[in-house]
Amino acid sequence: MEKKPGLGLDLDRRSFLQVTAAAGAATAISGFPRVLRAAAPTIKIGSVQPVTGPLAVIGLGQRRAAQMAVEYINSRGGIKSMGGAKLELLLGDSQTSAEVGRSEADRLIKEGAKVIVGAFESGTGMAIATLCEQRGVPFLCDVATLDDITQKGYKYTFRIFPTSTTFAKRMIEFLRSIFEEKKVSPKRAVVSYVGDAFGKTQAAFFIKEFKASNLGMEIVEEISYPLGVPDLSAEVAKIKAAKPDVLFPICRPGDSTLLTRELFKQRVELMGIISPGSPGWYEPSVIKDLDKLIYYVMDNVPWVNPESPVYKEANELFLKNYNAYLETNNGYAYTGILVVADALERAKSTDPDKIVEAFKKTEFKDHPMVGEAIKFAPNGDNINATTAMIQILPDPDPLKRTKVVLPKKFAQAPFVFPAPQLWERG
């Protein structure tokens, strides 16, 4: 049996009696059992996600993955450099609101959180980064793209997820590879995006990079709409009128479904739908709901590495527990907890400045995502954060339809482009 410091699980009966007697003597002297005072401590980690509201399907998956990572660390003996200290996840719900997310993070800090993780939405991530700087508490941003989060000179903020700039650059590289390999030359494009902080930023960076790329393609229309909109018929009518070859949508899970169904209903002809990087295209519930309509959609996202042993182990457990697979958002939530545990192990302390120093020296290879070892630049960004191009491909099992198609190093299947029209899929 593995020795667990402080718990005495490797003691034989004689030793156990000796320890018990010593403890009794200590109690008689001090009035408090010494063995209890030596018990392994608990380290609280505050986790803030959008568990209710329009992004609840994502936030709930992230919470589950983070909790699963905590249980994984604890099952391996906890933080060994601190006597086998166990991690405890304190739960916060941003309700898809930056203001609420900040308030929830503050509550968790008051309840004893030594590190905050989160927050999925860029606006909430920015608010929590500012709060943590004021409170002197380390913040590990597991998912959020807004470049500004790590551009303020904050001491306590670190991010493992790619920035909007990284998304845009990788998207151009993938587009060039797709068009060159298939020897096609699309001429017209439309960019559509949800009008929250993430959608606006992601669209702005992509459009800027696209216009400087010399791909031989023109963006003829840019269409924005509010988060949580119930109907996209007018926006799709604009897309159809613009006659694009390719649609570049930046979505959330709800509007991706509305958009695709309306494209089908209005019979909008396209060579393909390729997201510059957004949720809404790979969640199992969306894939199951849209069925054949979502086939051949591509998405430029930070994805799981299908060959990673860490991914295989975690994905099998996630599938068993929740009938869903690890993907961008829950995969990075899982990774975030592993990175925090690694920093605590090396910090040997919950002192915030010692945790920060440990983060700065991170070189974490054993994670489930595409990319090299996680290492932080002086501004707190992961210098090896990157993306993959995934595509939803036909398979009888909805849980097996999402495949990495680029880069070739990680590809699980060849990509399909141009795609059959939405109404030509049987």
Side-chain angles (χ1 to χ4, degrees):
M1 177 180 291
E2 182 182 0
K3 183 179 180 181
K4 296 186 177 183
L7 296 180
L9 295 181
D10 59 339
L11 298 180
D12 57 24
R13 176 175 172 76
R14 185 173 183 178
S15 298
F16 173 77
L17 292 174
Q18 290 173 342
V19 169
T20 304
T27 303
I29 294 170
S30 65
F32 193 82
R34 184 171 296 168
V35 290
L36 291 181
R37 283 189 289 155
T42 297
I43 302 172
K44 296 178 179 178
I45 300 173
S47 175
V48 181
Q49 316 290 354
V51 180
T52 58
L55 303 177
V57 65
I58 293 173
L60 184 59
Q62 288 188 296
R63 174 181 284 185
R64 287 170 170 170
Q67 187 62 56
M68 201 173 80
V70 163
E71 291 166 3
Y72 172 79
I73 296 296
N74 289 342
S75 72
R76 298 292 180 101
I79 307 302
K80 298 179 182 64
S81 68
M82 285 189 272
K86 296 295 187 284
L87 303 182
E88 178 185 349
L89 204 65
L90 301 183
L91 304 178
D93 178 9
S94 71
Q95 302 175 29
T96 320
S97 159
E99 184 179 348
V100 175
R102 185 187 190 284
S103 172
E104 283 288 271
D106 204 20
R107 174 179 65 80
L108 300 182
I109 291 170
K110 290 173 181 173
E111 291 178 6
K114 302 302 182 185
V115 179
I116 297 292
V117 297
F120 183 72
E121 298 164 277
S122 288
T124 304
M126 189 74 253
I128 293 177
T130 303
L131 171 76
C132 285
E133 194 69 13
Q134 294 167 348
R135 299 286 186 270
V137 173
F139 171 40
L140 194 285
C141 182
D142 51 20
V143 177
T145 64
L146 186 68
D147 285 45
D148 283 356
I149 292 172
T150 49
Q151 300 300 319
K152 302 291 185 182
Y154 289 164
K155 172 184 175 182
Y156 293 96
T157 294
F158 296 83
R159 168 166 48 189
I160 56 176
F161 204 69
T163 63
S164 293
T165 297
T166 301
F167 270 90
K169 291 183 180 300
R170 291 288 283 169
M171 178 68 170
I172 299 304
E173 293 171 7
F174 290 140
L175 289 177
R176 203 179 299 281
S177 296
I178 292 167
F179 299 159
E180 288 180 357
E181 182 172 327
K182 294 299 181 181
K183 302 186 186 321
V184 294
S185 302
K187 299 298 182 187
R188 298 169 64 85
V190 168
V191 178
S192 64
Y193 59 96
V194 63
D196 61 3
F198 161 74
K200 291 177 181 176
T201 304
Q202 197 79 333
F205 277 84
F206 169 64
I207 291 169
K208 179 183 176 183
E209 199 71 26
F210 185 92
K211 289 181 176 177
S213 67
N214 296 318
L215 279 171
M217 195 176 182
E218 180 185 4
I219 294 175
V220 296
E221 188 75 75
E222 300 172 20
I223 300 171
S224 176
Y225 51 84
L227 176 64
V229 66
D231 177 35
L232 287 172
S233 58
E235 287 78 6
V236 170
K238 288 183 182 177
I239 294 172
K240 185 173 183 178
K243 298 181 178 179
D245 297 310
V246 180
L247 174 63
F248 297 124
I250 298 166
C251 290
R252 299 301 198 181
D255 48 285
S256 66
T257 302
L258 287 174
L259 178 68
T260 307
R261 292 195 184 286
E262 200 62 38
L263 289 167
F264 169 76
K265 183 179 176 182
Q266 298 192 29
R267 297 176 79 88
V268 179
E269 292 190 23
L270 294 165
M271 294 177 73
I273 300 172
I274 309 178
S275 174
S278 74
W281 303 108
Y282 48 73
E283 290 80 5
S285 58
V286 175
I287 291 174
K288 187 176 181 181
D289 184 24
L290 287 174
D291 198 28
K292 295 177 182 177
L293 293 182
I294 202 170
Y295 283 173
Y296 312 111
V297 169
M298 294 189 194
D299 197 356
N300 167 45
V301 286
W303 198 248
V304 294
N305 177 359
E307 299 303 318
S308 161
V310 179
Y311 158 72
K312 291 178 180 177
E313 182 179 358
N315 188 59
E316 182 178 346
L317 191 57
F318 202 75
L319 198 59
K320 177 183 176 183
N321 289 343
Y322 304 113
N323 194 33
Y325 47 72
L326 282 190
E327 28 80 347
T328 298
N329 302 309
N330 57 32
Y332 264 97
Y334 187 86
T335 302
I337 295 296
L338 300 186
V339 171
V340 169
D342 172 69
L344 288 169
E345 193 70 73
R346 289 181 289 105
K348 303 177 182 179
S349 169
T350 57
D351 179 89
D353 290 334
K354 290 182 179 178
I355 296 173
V356 165
E357 288 307 308
F359 273 142
K360 289 180 178 178
K361 297 174 182 174
T362 293
E363 186 169 357
F364 189 72
K365 301 176 181 177
D366 297 328
H367 61 80
M369 310 307 290
V370 164
E372 304 300 327
I374 294 171
K375 300 170 69 173
F376 295 110
N379 73 341
D381 271 331
N382 172 14
I383 61 174
N384 288 320
T386 188
T387 65
M389 184 63 83
I390 60 169
Q391 188 169 35
I392 314 303
L393 294 170
D395 192 292
D397 184 351
L399 293 177
K400 296 179 179 178
R401 292 175 181 169
T402 306
K403 304 289 187 185
V404 176
V405 293
L406 288 172
K408 298 289 187 184
K409 176 181 178 182
F410 300 106
Q412 298 169 288
F415 61 82
V416 177
F417 189 87
Q421 300 300 332
L422 289 166
W423 52 92
E424 295 175 344
R425 301 176 184 184

